[in-house]
Amino acid sequence: MTMEPSGLGPMGDVQLLASRLRADRTDVASYARVLSGALADALPPGMVEVQTRRSLADRVAGRDGRAVGVTVHGENRELALREGPRGGVEAEVRQVVRGVVISRKAVGIEQWLQALAEDITRLAARDAAAREVLERLLHG
């Protein structure tokens, strides 16, 4: 997939998308906002799942709560981020066969972002809506 006007090609697109997703993201809520915003609208329904934790105050006020986890469901894998026990973000890549997780691997945020960028780029190669969002992410 060659993207205009950059002409970077698939690997360049993956690297650029990963760097765009990486910018200014230090907590799960930040990733949840990006992934459940315009990006989720362009991806197939149910591909992005945000897990929230609601305090008593959230319930009383009718708020959704705060994001504590994000899972991106791909074709043969799931990419999961969750709030770490002492803060920060923990990342995991899960291999999935026919809806069953067969392996889990803790990875760094960089590796997780690379895997996410690869999945989105692959999806964009065959889906017009995802391609449009990818263009916006890559080229402002």
Side-chain angles (χ1 to χ4, degrees):
M1 170 177 89
T2 301
M3 312 244 350
E4 297 300 328
S6 68
L8 292 172
M11 286 313 293
D13 292 342
V14 168
Q15 298 301 326
L16 185 55
L17 178 57
S19 72
R20 292 284 168 110
L21 289 169
R22 182 180 312 112
D24 300 324
R25 312 274 185 265
T26 57
D27 62 1
V28 172
S30 296
Y31 285 104
R33 280 191 296 277
V34 170
L35 294 171
S36 64
L39 188 57
D41 292 340
L43 299 174
M47 188 170 176
V48 177
E49 177 185 351
V50 178
Q51 298 85 35
T52 59
R53 180 171 298 138
R54 292 177 71 197
S55 67
L56 178 59
D58 290 330
R59 283 183 235 136
V60 169
R63 294 186 299 249
D64 292 335
R66 65 182 182 84
V68 294
V70 177
T71 303
V72 180
H73 303 278
E75 287 183 27
N76 297 314
R77 66 180 171 188
E78 293 177 350
L79 306 173
L81 288 179
R82 69 179 170 270
E83 199 174 77
R86 292 181 210 80
V89 179
E90 295 179 352
E92 183 176 72
V93 175
R94 305 172 187 152
Q95 293 301 311
V96 178
V97 175
R98 289 181 274 220
V100 176
V101 175
I102 60 169
S103 72
R104 297 170 184 265
K105 180 180 178 189
V107 297
I109 294 296
E110 292 296 318
Q111 190 175 355
W112 189 91
L113 286 168
Q114 182 72 21
L116 176 63
E118 289 168 3
D119 284 0
I120 292 171
T121 302
R122 207 172 11 257
L123 179 63
R126 62 178 191 271
D127 182 90
R131 187 167 36 255
E132 184 178 314
V133 169
L134 180 60
E135 286 281 345
R136 282 196 310 260
L137 282 170
L138 291 175
H139 305 294

